[in-house]
Amino acid sequence: MKKYGLIGYPLTHSFSKKYFTAKFEREGIENHVYDLYEIQNLSDFPELLRANPKLCGLNVTVPHKIGVMFYLDWVHPDAREVDAVNCIRITAESPVAAAFSGEVGIKDHEFRLEGFNTDVYGFEMSLKPLLNAQHTQALVLGTGGASRAVKYVLNKLNIYAKFVSREASADRIGYADVTPELLSKYKLIINTTPLGMSPNVDKCPDIPYEALTSEHLLYDLIYNPEETLFLQKGREQGAATKNGYEMLLLQAEKSWEIWNSREIKPEEE
């Protein structure tokens, strides 16, 4: 039996469990199971691993994407740059090998923990097909953990990013600063906040939607509901829109690829 799962707190609902359970059944992958491991304190993480020796991989969600890095033996450069991990590959490793690796996350263990960030892959692959020549500057709504991967991908694609938060500071503007004039320059707008997520579907980021045009692209990391009020208001102005569902699918499949890869690929080094 090979075990996989998701760690986080709270875990009231999980796309990952539904996705992988359906995948195992659909593709006839036997003796594989995906479970939820709700841990409030990361100090319980080592014990979780020791109690589940058949774990081969984990997804990580809030609030542990940053803190879990302390326990890892190795972190992919993308994840280190983003400073967040949402996928862990667990492989067998002898204590001697661990001692000589130079990086040990959990002492006296017989497994190796490698951290990755599949948010980067999922966001980049779902965004790139939608980009046009005018999408050279982006407004990123929100400065929480989800915005880290977005910022990394935009930098990689040479798209200048301006961040918008409830309070302006040296590196971000406030929502009051998002004017029609600003929107005429920033044709890509990405919502990384939870505003509009079910069940609060009547909420949306406070921007002048009437200034949007058919040249704008609105991307919402939220996938439930399928069309948030943010996306609806954009569509009504003729803007192209995209929700976060494909990003989730891509993330999940990337996790599966990582868990089943015996060695780190050259591009991962």
Side-chain angles (χ1 to χ4, degrees):
M1 175 68 70
K2 289 189 175 182
K3 299 177 71 175
Y4 304 87
L6 173 70
I7 62 169
Y9 184 87
L11 297 178
T12 53
H13 58 83
S14 168
F15 165 86
S16 297
K17 180 174 174 60
K18 289 177 61 178
Y19 180 84
F20 282 107
T21 299
K23 176 183 176 68
F24 296 156
E25 183 175 344
R26 181 178 64 252
E27 299 181 14
I29 302 173
E30 299 180 349
N31 298 318
H32 286 61
V33 64
Y34 192 103
D35 289 318
L36 301 182
Y37 300 99
E38 189 173 75
I39 54 173
Q40 184 172 4
N41 299 311
L42 266 176
S43 57
D44 296 327
F45 183 53
E47 181 55 37
L48 170 70
L49 295 172
R50 293 188 178 103
N52 295 275
K54 293 185 179 180
L55 271 174
C56 300
L58 289 168
N59 290 124
V60 185
T61 189
V62 292
H64 300 321
K65 289 186 178 184
I66 299 173
V68 77
M69 296 173 69
F70 172 79
Y71 293 95
L72 306 182
D73 300 306
W74 179 86
V75 177
H76 187 282
D78 283 354
R80 194 174 293 281
E81 183 72 22
V82 174
D83 195 27
V85 160
N86 73 333
C87 175
I88 299 172
R89 178 167 59 193
I90 306 170
T91 57
E93 182 178 47
S94 72
V96 173
F100 281 96
S101 69
E103 294 184 66
V104 179
I106 300 175
K107 294 181 180 179
D108 302 322
H109 65 299
E110 296 185 8
F111 45 81
R112 177 174 169 83
L113 303 178
E114 299 170 341
F116 302 81
N117 189 301
T118 60
D119 286 337
V120 169
Y121 175 81
F123 178 64
E124 181 177 359
M125 292 300 104
S126 61
L127 175 69
K128 281 175 67 174
L130 306 174
L131 296 175
N132 290 316
Q134 70 269 22
H135 299 136
T136 58
Q137 299 185 100
L139 285 182
V140 181
L141 311 181
T143 54
S147 69
R148 294 169 180 263
V150 169
K151 178 182 180 181
Y152 180 82
V153 170
L154 293 177
N155 287 342
K156 183 178 178 181
L157 297 176
N158 295 314
I159 297 174
Y160 173 75
K162 186 183 287 291
F163 286 80
V164 185
S165 186
R166 285 173 292 185
E167 294 184 8
S169 65
D171 61 347
R172 64 195 68 171
I173 64 173
Y175 281 94
D177 300 312
V178 182
T179 62
E181 182 181 12
L182 188 71
L183 289 184
S184 70
K185 301 174 183 177
Y186 288 80
K187 301 294 177 66
L188 172 59
I189 307 172
I190 302 158
N191 178 41
T192 71
T193 78
L195 285 172
M197 182 184 297
S198 181
N200 302 311
V201 297
D202 59 340
K203 298 185 182 299
C204 64
D206 185 16
I207 63 172
Y209 293 93
E210 67 277 4
L212 298 176
T213 69
S214 59
E215 290 196 342
H216 284 86
L217 167 61
L218 272 60
Y219 191 111
D220 201 330
L221 268 61
I222 294 171
Y223 69 94
N224 183 20
E226 184 176 339
E227 184 181 60
T228 58
L229 188 57
F230 168 72
L231 294 182
Q232 178 189 326
K233 286 176 173 285
R235 175 177 55 79
E236 290 172 348
Q237 295 298 121
T241 63
K242 178 82 170 183
N243 69 18
Y245 187 68
E246 184 186 26
M247 178 178 170
L248 273 180
L249 296 178
L250 290 166
Q251 287 172 316
E253 284 302 318
K254 189 65 174 178
S255 292
W256 182 244
E257 177 187 323
I258 288 168
W259 294 333
N260 288 279
S261 175
R262 293 185 179 181
E263 298 179 357
I264 300 169
K265 296 180 179 179
E267 63 265 27
E268 295 178 352
E269 293 179 347

